Amino acid sequence: MEGAEEKGWSLAAWTVCAVLLPVLLTFWCSVRKSRRRNIPRTGKHGWQDTGLFGKPTYCSVCGQHILRGVYCRSCGLCADGACVRRANRRFPCKEIVLRAEGRGHHWVRGNVPLCSLCSVCGQQCGCQPKLCDYRCIWCQRTVHDDCMQNNLKTEDCDFGEFKNLIIPPSYLSAVTQLKKGKTTDYEKLASSMGKQWTPLIVLANTRSGNNMGEALVSEFKGLLNPIQVFDLSKVSPFQALQLCTLLPDKSVKVLVCGGDGTVGWVLDAVDEMKIKGLEGCVPQVAVLPLGTGNDLANTLGWGAGYAGDVPVEQILRNIMDADSIKLDRWKVQVTNKGYSLRKPKVLSMNNYFSVGPDALMALNFHTHREKTPSLFSSRLVNKAVYLFYGTKDCLVQECKDLNKKVELELDGERIDLPNLEGIVVLNIGYWGGGCRLWEGMGDEPYPLSRHDDGLLEVVGVYGSFHCAQMQVKLANPVRLGQAHTVRLTLKSSKMPMQVDGEPWAQGPCTVTITHKTHALMLYHSGEQTDDDDDDASSESDHEKHEQSDEDM
């Protein structure tokens, strides 16, 4: 008994250390960053200070080896703190709009990417321990000092591998001239860019999930035109998407770097564009998942979470190869019971609506994060907090007897509810950070779920422990049915509710979910998990069965 007790205490201690260590490390890094001396940020370069460069780095001004200093997020220029002013005077940054004649390369000397090869001789660049060799900040070509020829300095830049995603400065210069002439024939102007040109706009939420947004903003600005990259903590999605009005209709792609909430924010801005008569400017949307749950990104093939393991160049290649699909968007109207001067609450739903234990966990997490936001800068910490509140609800059962408090109607038909603690209304395949809820263990026949068929899947859960069982495929959900319209009436008391991870506490009300519109999304059909392979095969079998029925 004593040995078992000691093992239990040891396991508890290791668990506490695993949770606290990332929090303490994040706090320490924040303190260190706040104590750094201010770097002069005058000039046109987008300087970003760093405590320690991740590779051997040399000052672009004095040529000395530096461990810390600043780098430009747009052109990649590096400098010691003392050389920043001279760098601003001597070296121009990327031109957003072409001011001079010519479309030549923009060469920056030194600090070329690791393992890059010379475009002239094919040998590796950047091997010498000094400031050496050149890189074009548009096409990303690298050249040895000895291989740099006069024709390379004067030839036109073709913008390299990602030319179909880049908005060239010359295009924006021509747009400016068109506006002066009060003509807006962007289609004719874009014809010179080629039929494959699908310019990309990057919208990054630097406050999402694991705080990787700032690093991604820097990398995308280095590969694209800086005017294509927006930080959503500084500009709203609707303002950023106004760039679409300067580009050919139905050609623009948007990459949203953030969680599911950020994606919903951007899709709301796209709907606002439709309302204001800009339907031709509506872009196709891809997702780089930086949040905690990332269920929509998972459904669209972009993965359950980005941790920096995939190079940004590969992300751009995936966007170029992605397929365009439709995503149902739903209107959630919450009308309070009794007489009220307030208008009904209206929300947009992409993923799911729920009432019960998962909404309670989200509400507790949201409340805690609002009080101490600095502690929630890691996806691991966020999931640990969710686990804590889920375990707590297993013991307390705050949402029990839900079936006595609510009435559920699917397409006008009332549903008899068993003894439940929660109800989840699904639009997409994934729920709760990677669980395929509607499919369950996959051992029962069920109609397939899709995110573009105008149908919602409605399931019930018995409690937090049941949710945990379904996460690891040890239990099936209570499948209540599929419907085009869902109406849920909360008759008494106050219950936690959530839409796409945004929770609130709700009193007696009626919740009505109806179809709103479609969103154009980009689906990445890359590497699949075993679950995805099973789902793909089951969908294929289902389609074959339908085809055989039609033939008969």
Side-chain angles (χ1 to χ4, degrees):
M1 291 292 291
E2 292 182 0
E5 187 176 348
E6 288 180 1
K7 287 182 179 179
W9 280 109
S10 176
L11 180 61
W14 279 109
T15 303
V16 171
C17 289
V19 173
L20 289 180
L21 188 59
V23 175
L24 294 175
L25 186 61
T26 302
F27 179 73
W28 180 78
C29 291
S30 299
V31 172
R32 291 277 298 174
K33 187 175 180 179
S34 65
R35 289 180 177 176
R36 290 178 192 161
R37 59 194 177 94
N38 291 328
I39 300 293
R41 299 182 185 278
T42 55
K44 297 178 182 179
H45 289 282
W47 296 116
Q48 177 73 38
D49 59 320
T50 180
L52 183 66
F53 286 106
K55 64 175 185 177
T57 304
Y58 301 88
C59 177
S60 299
V61 180
C62 65
Q64 296 296 314
H65 179 260
I66 52 177
L67 294 176
R68 57 180 295 179
V70 297
Y71 66 93
C72 177
R73 291 182 291 184
S74 299
C75 67
L77 203 72
C78 298
D80 184 24
C83 297
V84 172
R85 289 187 174 88
R86 279 187 289 167
N88 282 328
R89 291 194 299 267
R90 288 177 54 182
F91 301 108
C93 193
K94 265 187 175 179
E95 283 189 319
I96 293 174
V97 178
L98 197 64
R99 293 181 177 83
E101 291 296 325
R103 304 176 183 178
H105 294 284
H106 185 152
W107 299 104
V108 171
R109 188 163 187 252
N111 303 308
V112 298
L114 297 174
C115 301
S116 55
L117 301 178
C118 176
S119 61
V120 176
C121 68
Q123 299 299 313
Q124 187 170 344
C125 288
C127 298
Q128 301 180 53
K130 63 178 182 177
L131 188 73
C132 63
D133 303 336
Y134 290 87
R135 175 180 64 92
C136 174
I137 59 177
W138 286 109
C139 66
Q140 310 304 319
R141 290 173 65 183
T142 53
V143 180
H144 287 124
D145 288 334
D146 296 337
C147 296
M148 177 60 75
Q149 303 162 1
N150 288 331
N151 63 325
L152 287 177
K153 294 180 179 179
T154 57
E155 74 174 6
D156 286 350
C157 179
D158 63 0
F159 295 95
E161 181 182 2
F162 306 117
K163 61 183 178 182
N164 289 328
L165 299 178
I166 296 173
I167 303 176
S170 57
Y171 177 85
L172 295 174
S173 178
V175 167
T176 303
Q177 296 300 320
L178 280 178
K179 290 181 120 181
K180 287 181 180 178
K182 297 183 180 180
T183 60
T184 55
D185 190 5
Y186 300 136
E187 299 289 340
K188 185 176 179 181
L189 178 61
S191 63
S192 62
M193 305 301 300
K195 294 181 179 179
Q196 302 298 319
W197 188 49
T198 54
L200 177 70
I201 297 175
V202 179
L203 307 179
N205 187 350
T206 55
R207 298 174 181 172
S208 281
N210 51 6
N211 288 339
M212 294 191 63
E214 287 190 7
L216 286 168
V217 165
S218 300
E219 293 193 62
F220 281 118
K221 282 188 174 182
L223 293 171
L224 306 172
N225 190 327
I227 202 172
Q228 298 174 241
V229 186
F230 296 88
D231 183 351
L232 292 181
S233 66
K234 299 175 181 177
V235 62
S236 71
F238 183 77
Q239 291 174 314
L241 291 175
Q242 295 307 300
L243 182 58
C244 296
T245 61
L246 304 179
L247 300 167
D249 287 353
K250 299 179 181 179
S251 68
V252 183
K253 297 180 178 180
V254 167
L255 175 64
V256 181
C257 306
D260 289 343
T262 306
V263 178
W265 189 19
V266 172
L267 293 182
D268 285 340
V270 172
D271 287 345
E272 189 177 350
M273 291 175 66
K274 294 178 184 177
I275 293 172
K276 295 189 176 181
L278 300 174
E279 291 186 5
C281 303
V282 169
Q284 303 171 74
V285 180
V287 184
L288 185 62
L290 301 184
T292 302
N294 305 313
D295 291 303
L296 180 57
N298 216 354
T299 300
L300 298 176
W302 297 102
Y306 180 73
D309 48 336
V310 180
V312 171
E313 292 86 352
Q314 185 58 47
I315 294 170
L316 295 178
R317 295 185 192 106
N318 292 343
I319 292 171
M320 289 192 291
D321 295 336
D323 301 317
S324 179
I325 63 169
K326 289 183 177 181
L327 173 73
D328 288 325
R329 301 198 74 216
W330 300 83
K331 174 184 173 183
V332 180
Q333 182 169 304
V334 183
T335 307
N336 293 321
K337 276 196 169 184
Y339 178 75
S340 176
L341 295 176
R342 292 184 179 180
K343 292 182 179 180
K345 178 189 289 187
V346 178
L347 304 165
S348 296
M349 184 185 88
N350 305 310
N351 302 0
Y352 41 74
F353 162 86
S354 70
V355 53
D358 66 322
L360 178 62
M361 284 186 279
L363 181 60
N364 287 330
F365 174 85
H366 182 77
T367 303
H368 198 169
R369 184 170 61 177
E370 289 292 311
K371 291 180 181 177
T372 52
S374 59
L375 297 179
F376 295 84
S377 56
S378 164
R379 191 179 290 125
L380 176 64
V381 174
N382 295 350
K383 291 192 174 184
V385 174
Y386 265 105
L387 176 63
F388 168 76
Y389 283 120
T391 306
K392 176 185 173 185
D393 187 61
C394 286
L395 303 174
V396 179
Q397 293 183 314
E398 294 184 36
C399 302
K400 63 182 180 180
D401 298 327
L402 178 69
N403 54 300
K404 299 178 182 178
K405 302 172 184 176
V406 302
E407 292 179 357
L408 178 67
E409 294 180 17
L410 303 183
D411 288 337
E413 181 181 346
R414 184 168 174 180
I415 304 298
D416 292 329
L417 299 175
N419 187 16
L420 300 174
E421 286 192 24
I423 295 174
V424 184
V425 181
L426 297 160
N427 179 47
I428 61 176
Y430 286 93
W431 164 86
C435 172
R436 297 191 71 88
L437 185 60
W438 178 251
E439 284 81 351
M441 294 190 294
D443 59 343
E444 298 176 356
Y446 51 84
L448 294 175
S449 64
R450 295 181 61 89
H451 47 260
D452 59 355
D453 58 357
L455 280 174
L456 294 165
E457 287 71 43
V458 185
V459 302
V461 297
Y462 294 121
S464 294
F465 186 67
H466 186 208
C467 292
Q469 287 179 307
M470 291 186 292
Q471 289 276 359
V472 293
K473 291 194 172 184
L474 291 178
N476 284 316
V478 182
R479 297 188 185 92
L480 301 173
Q482 293 177 298
H484 298 90
T485 302
V486 176
R487 184 187 299 272
L488 185 143
T489 303
L490 179 59
K491 296 183 289 186
S492 61
S493 72
K494 183 176 282 191
M495 293 291 292
M497 295 183 179
Q498 70 158 336
V499 172
D500 293 352
E502 299 298 324
W504 74 95
Q506 178 65 48
C509 68
T510 299
V511 179
T512 307
I513 306 177
T514 54
H515 194 268
K516 179 182 179 183
T517 185
H518 283 105
L520 293 176
M521 308 298 290
L522 289 172
Y523 178 82
H524 172 50
S525 54
E527 295 181 3
Q528 290 182 318
T529 62
D530 294 338
D531 292 343
D532 294 333
D533 290 335
D534 294 341
D535 296 329
S537 63
S538 63
E539 287 183 15
S540 177
D541 293 342
H542 181 71
E543 289 172 0
K544 288 178 182 177
H545 179 68
E546 286 185 340
Q547 184 64 41
S548 63
D549 290 343
E550 291 175 2
D551 295 338
M552 292 175 65

